[in-house]
Amino acid sequence: MKSCLSLLVCVAALTAWHVTADAKELSITTIQEDPYTMSKGPGLEGYCIDMISELSKKMGFKYKVHLVKDSRYGAMDSNGNWNGMIGEVIRGEADLAVAPLTLTAIREQFVDMTTPFMQTGIGFILRKDVASQGSGFSLLSPFSTDMWAGVLIAFLLTGVCMFLMGRISPSEWSEPDKEQHSFTLLHSFWYITGALTLQGAGPHPKALSGRLVSAFWWLFAILLLACYFGNFNSMLHSNEKHVSIKTFEDLANQDVIKYGTVDGGSTKAFFKYSNNPVYRRLYETMERKKSFVPNMGEGVRRAQEENFAFIGEAVSLDLAVARYCSLIRAQEVIAMRAYSIAAPLGSPLVKNLTNAILQLSESGELTYLRDKWWASSCLGTDSTPASEALHSKDLRGLFLMLGLGLAVGLLLALLELLSKARNQAKDGKKSCCSVLTSELSQRFGRGGESTEGDSSDKSKA
């Protein structure tokens, strides 16, 4: 019985709400803020306009949107009077304020605010060439860690292959029992090191297999160096790497770049009343230099055209960075806050709006609107794409080419030795396998080394 009564009360409440909404067209105040609200011909468009439309469908109300007269969000003056959208809501000039309106304790005392529809924080943007002043550079940066590991492995494998081919190939070492082996392991690594520095180091291989591997290694080295120096030059002239001004503390500790935020907004209030000495110093500098801007558009313009860092809501700054390629946003984000819809104190709309916003969030509609209006559409024509360290997967073909060359070289060396073994077996009427085994034992076994040592002693005598 109690559940039935509760259901009837809820139905009656919803019915009363729809009757009230149909009887009165809600007046909604907003602010022209790209991409939340933008003028399009006679009407408006943007994230907030789309959200209002979705809320009206769920709650069944009619509405009329107008821009706030003084282009301000809302702040209290010394006489206790509110300006901006908050002021219009308090004075009854608007039923709702729908905009990137930050939920703060002081505002909550004079208006009712819904559950947040977007989370954000405070960051700052500035021009890339301004941000990169005094940046350093590392000689290892053009290649990533896995790329350097790949180069080291390729170097070791090539050196070992040169050593093996020098021992296996009869053209390189024809008489193991009489001649000394010229391509030792140390000389093999010295030879490919000379090739890697484009200098060369003799003696050079005489066998076809050795020359083939040498050619592949030289080609590998030339292309590798070309990629390295190409990326080195790109990184050297890139304005997006090694940003010297990364944090608010960096911003406060320099006096070359001016900085400011929107006058009369919650961001200004945060710095004004903060107990953090760095943030207080930032506010005192902005107050002393009068570097506040009237709106976000002016702040973005100054960041593009001057040595100026604009401090604002990170989610709004991200859009400016996506649209203007000359700008960059510092990674540090402080003072996490949220955007809400404001209504007069005691308004019955707040609970229904909160429920509708939660439904839009749970259904993914708010995420869809965020992706729609924050899609990256860089409008800069003179932008330089960010240079990144090359990874091993980027030069996969180069490593495969070298691997193929090493495999073919080893195969040729074995074929040369097999051909010599067949000829010796035919002349001496022996088994080819026994002759091949004897050759390999002479070239790699102790017997071959002792014979080599004896012949060396004889030549010295």
Side-chain angles (χ1 to χ4, degrees):
M1 185 66 180
K2 289 183 179 180
S3 61
C4 291
L5 288 174
S6 301
L7 181 60
L8 288 173
V9 170
C10 291
V11 171
L14 289 173
T15 305
W17 155 245
H18 280 286
V19 170
T20 304
D22 292 338
K24 178 185 176 183
E25 185 179 62
L26 296 181
S27 176
I28 297 177
T29 181
T30 187
I31 191 169
Q32 190 157 346
E33 193 74 80
D34 186 18
Y36 300 96
T37 308
M38 300 174 288
S39 297
K40 183 182 180 183
L44 298 171
E45 67 173 11
Y47 178 91
C48 287
I49 303 301
D50 287 352
M51 185 177 65
I52 295 170
S53 176
E54 294 298 325
L55 290 174
S56 68
K57 293 176 183 177
K58 283 193 171 293
M59 297 174 59
F61 63 82
K62 296 178 182 178
Y63 62 93
K64 184 177 181 180
V65 181
H66 68 271
L67 295 175
V68 62
K69 299 179 182 66
D70 58 3
S71 299
R72 292 179 179 273
Y73 292 97
M76 184 189 296
D77 60 19
S78 57
N79 298 322
N81 299 319
W82 283 83
N83 58 22
M85 292 180 288
I86 299 296
E88 290 192 2
V89 172
I90 293 174
R91 293 189 297 269
E93 299 172 10
D95 298 304
L96 297 173
V98 183
L101 193 63
T102 307
L103 175 62
T104 63
I106 186 66
R107 287 173 178 169
E108 188 72 26
Q109 294 177 16
F110 294 88
V111 295
D112 282 344
M113 303 194 78
T114 66
T115 190
F117 60 84
M118 185 179 290
Q119 301 289 335
T120 184
I122 297 177
F124 65 89
I125 59 172
L126 65 169
R127 264 201 345 263
K128 292 177 183 177
D129 57 339
V130 174
S132 60
Q133 289 177 352
S135 62
F137 189 80
S138 174
L139 291 175
L140 299 178
S141 297
F143 288 166
S144 62
T145 304
D146 61 324
M147 183 65 185
W148 283 116
V151 171
L152 178 62
I153 293 172
F155 178 82
L156 295 175
L157 287 178
T158 305
V160 171
C161 285
M162 290 292 293
F163 168 73
L164 292 176
M165 284 179 291
R167 287 221 166 195
I168 293 174
S169 175
S171 302
E172 197 67 50
W173 196 21
S174 58
E175 299 293 338
D177 55 342
K178 298 179 182 179
E179 298 177 356
Q180 286 189 353
H181 183 228
S182 59
F183 257 89
T184 61
L185 188 60
L186 181 61
H187 178 70
S188 299
F189 283 115
W190 177 249
Y191 179 80
I192 63 174
T193 301
L196 193 59
T197 57
L198 303 182
Q199 296 298 315
H204 299 286
K206 296 177 289 184
L208 176 62
S209 56
R211 291 179 178 180
L212 179 66
V213 171
S214 176
F216 272 93
W217 175 251
W218 272 88
L219 182 60
F220 174 84
I222 291 172
L223 294 177
L224 185 72
L225 291 173
C227 293
Y228 175 85
F229 286 113
N231 207 34
F232 181 95
N233 182 67
S234 179
M235 279 187 164
L236 196 61
H237 293 89
S238 173
N239 292 321
E240 196 170 54
K241 293 293 179 181
H242 308 286
V243 177
S244 57
I245 300 177
K246 300 178 181 179
T247 64
F248 282 94
E249 187 172 2
D250 295 337
L251 202 61
N253 292 335
Q254 56 82 43
D255 55 2
V256 177
I257 301 172
K258 293 182 180 180
Y259 45 86
T261 186
V262 175
D263 192 13
S266 60
T267 302
K268 176 184 176 181
F270 166 79
F271 286 101
K272 182 177 181 179
Y273 300 111
S274 175
N275 294 323
N276 188 302
V278 174
Y279 304 154
R280 287 286 300 173
R281 195 161 77 247
L282 286 170
Y283 173 76
E284 291 169 359
T285 302
M286 289 187 285
E287 186 69 37
R288 185 177 68 254
K289 296 184 177 181
K290 302 299 180 184
S291 55
F292 297 108
V293 295
N295 51 59
M296 180 180 171
E298 178 64 16
V300 173
R301 184 197 65 78
R302 290 191 62 181
Q304 288 181 279
E305 300 175 2
E306 307 172 17
N307 287 354
F308 184 79
F310 175 59
I311 304 172
E313 309 288 357
V315 70
S316 299
L317 300 180
D318 287 339
L319 182 78
V321 170
R323 296 199 172 184
Y324 305 106
C325 297
S326 61
L327 298 176
I328 184 173
R329 181 175 72 81
Q331 293 300 313
E332 185 183 27
V333 177
I334 61 174
M336 298 305 294
R337 66 264 311 278
Y339 293 153
S340 296
I341 298 175
L345 282 174
S347 173
L349 302 175
V350 175
K351 186 174 182 180
N352 295 279
L353 285 170
T354 293
N355 186 46
I357 290 172
L358 290 174
Q359 290 180 22
L360 290 178
S361 177
E362 292 168 0
S363 65
E365 187 65 28
L366 294 182
T367 304
Y368 166 76
L369 293 179
R370 170 73 181 268
D371 295 339
K372 173 186 175 181
W373 290 103
W374 268 258
S376 180
S377 55
C378 189
L379 302 178
T381 56
D382 57 347
S383 61
T384 303
S387 299
E388 296 182 356
L390 290 175
H391 294 266
S392 56
K393 62 181 181 181
D394 299 325
L395 298 179
R396 188 185 299 117
L398 192 61
F399 287 101
L400 290 176
M401 179 202 69
L402 179 63
L404 178 64
L406 297 180
V408 173
L410 279 174
L411 182 61
L412 281 178
L414 289 172
L415 290 176
E416 290 175 4
L417 185 62
L418 182 60
S419 177
K420 179 183 178 182
R422 287 189 60 185
N423 293 333
Q424 287 182 351
K426 188 183 294 184
D427 294 339
K429 297 181 180 179
K430 298 179 180 179
S431 170
C432 181
C433 292
S434 62
V435 174
L436 182 62
T437 304
S438 176
E439 282 285 338
L440 290 174
S441 64
Q442 285 182 343
R443 294 171 184 276
F444 292 99
R446 294 180 179 177
E449 291 178 359
S450 61
T451 304
E452 182 181 335
D454 293 342
S455 62
S456 175
D457 293 339
K458 289 179 182 178
S459 63
K460 288 181 182 179

